[in-house]
Amino acid sequence: MSFQSYSFLFVLLPVTVIGWRALNRFGYGRTAQVFLLGASLVFYALGSLLFLPVLTGSLLFNFLVGRGLTVGVGKKRALLVLGILGNLGVLGYFKYTNFLLENINILFGTSVGALAILLPLGISFFTFQQIAYLVDAYRGEAEPYSILEYAVYVTFFPCVASGPIAFHSEVIPQIRAQVGRRASGQELAEGLWLFSLGMWKKVILAQTFGAATDWGYSSLAALDSTSALVVAVCYSFQLYFDFTGYTDMARGIGRMLGVTLPENFDAPYRALTIRGFWKGWHMTMTRFFTRYLFIPLGGSRRGTARTCLNIMIIFLVSGLWHGADWSFVLWGGIHGAAMVADRLLGNRVERIHPALSWALTFGFVTFAWIFFRAPDVTSALDLCGTIAQCSFGPLPPELLSQFHLPEETWLVRMLGLDFSRVALLMFLIFMAFAFLFCLQEREACARSHVMTARRGVLAGVCLFWSVISLTGATQFIYSNF
């Protein structure tokens, strides 16, 4: 099941919010948790029934290992190693087996066939959340939760599919605190605002830019430099609006349930440096790698050379985490090299004029996204080569038509408009709005989601527009990771 489906919008979401709030209000906290667990399992099963045993098996394994770590059973270090290897083993099997076989075939000239392995929904996210829990338990920073509390945390449906990566210490105390609480009208209103905004980003903006991106990557041989550059920029916006849309919807649902999930984006496309970009992009993933990999590797405490090596390791691992293909590893390496350069240059980067600094940062991020989106490294290099040829020309009608109005709409016919001009106008409007939205976006610390009359109207418009446009809405991009 996905957020942008009628069954979720009109059945699962309202039933879950009403049931959860009512049971907690009258003091049935344990029953409320069982109810929320059931709703989360239904959500997951309707999206990935085949892999429900993987989710529940992972949950039970990590609960038992975590219980051993929190109560001090046996050798804690060996238990932690067992837990981490178990999690990475399951993740590796589902996500990287065929990648490994493919590279073995290349290296040794063998012809081992690919296995028919499907990727369980959200496996990267719930695996990382549980690894964080095990490490915290080993450090004495996690209490022995009940199996019900832990299960509700791991399966919590707003973030089980695509994050944000929320830690146990952020979610479980809030779940407990709902017992006896009356539902806050302001919480519900804030949640509705965030949910509506996120859905509009996904269904209207990300979907439109995604159509142009898909057309471009399916027509690489037909692109000139202009259209190739536009396709690259379109993917930058598609990914941003898709992922921030999901995050807004997840955080909105959390607010409706009385749970505040962590911020995941902080105006990353306003960044003037690559370091600033990573402070604002997928923040929960960044803090996971920082806390559980970068710092254990030594962080920045062992000199410049070791720090730069640790940075490269973090970004290469991040690239591989996103997908089992060398294009993802290369994407991570590109960003890692840029972060190392940023660190070595120090304050000299800040002397560049802000406008030029922003243009260089956005251009670099867009360039790197080419490797993230392309089906393989060769395709990515082909697109980069097309842009570098500087063979500029008019945008093809096939690309412009993705920013519909469709040719045969009653409005075009009634007004006698030229479709090519209408399509160009719609393209310019979408591009201008996307740039303005990103550049005018407030930083996370300055945002307020308090419902006002104006936001109430906007929420209604966004929700209505999105609902009537649901036909053909695709899965969120990060559900594939």
Side-chain angles (χ1 to χ4, degrees), residues 44-45 47-58 87 89-97 116-127 160-162 321 475-481:
Y44 191 89
S48 188
L49 177 60
L50 179 64
F51 295 111
L52 186 59
V54 176
L55 173 63
T56 55
S58 173
N87 280 288
V90 173
L91 182 63
Y93 169 75
F94 282 106
K95 200 166 183 177
Y96 303 107
T97 297
I117 300 176
L118 299 176
L119 188 65
L121 179 67
I123 187 171
S124 296
F125 292 94
F126 66 72
T127 298
V160 69
S162 300
W321 175 81
Q475 186 182 37
F476 287 98
I477 293 174
Y478 262 71
S479 296
N480 298 318
F481 302 143

Side-chain angles (χ1 to χ4, degrees), residues 251-263:
R251 297 186 71 241
I253 297 168
R255 292 299 289 156
M256 294 182 205
L257 298 171
V259 176
T260 300
L261 295 173
E263 291 275 6

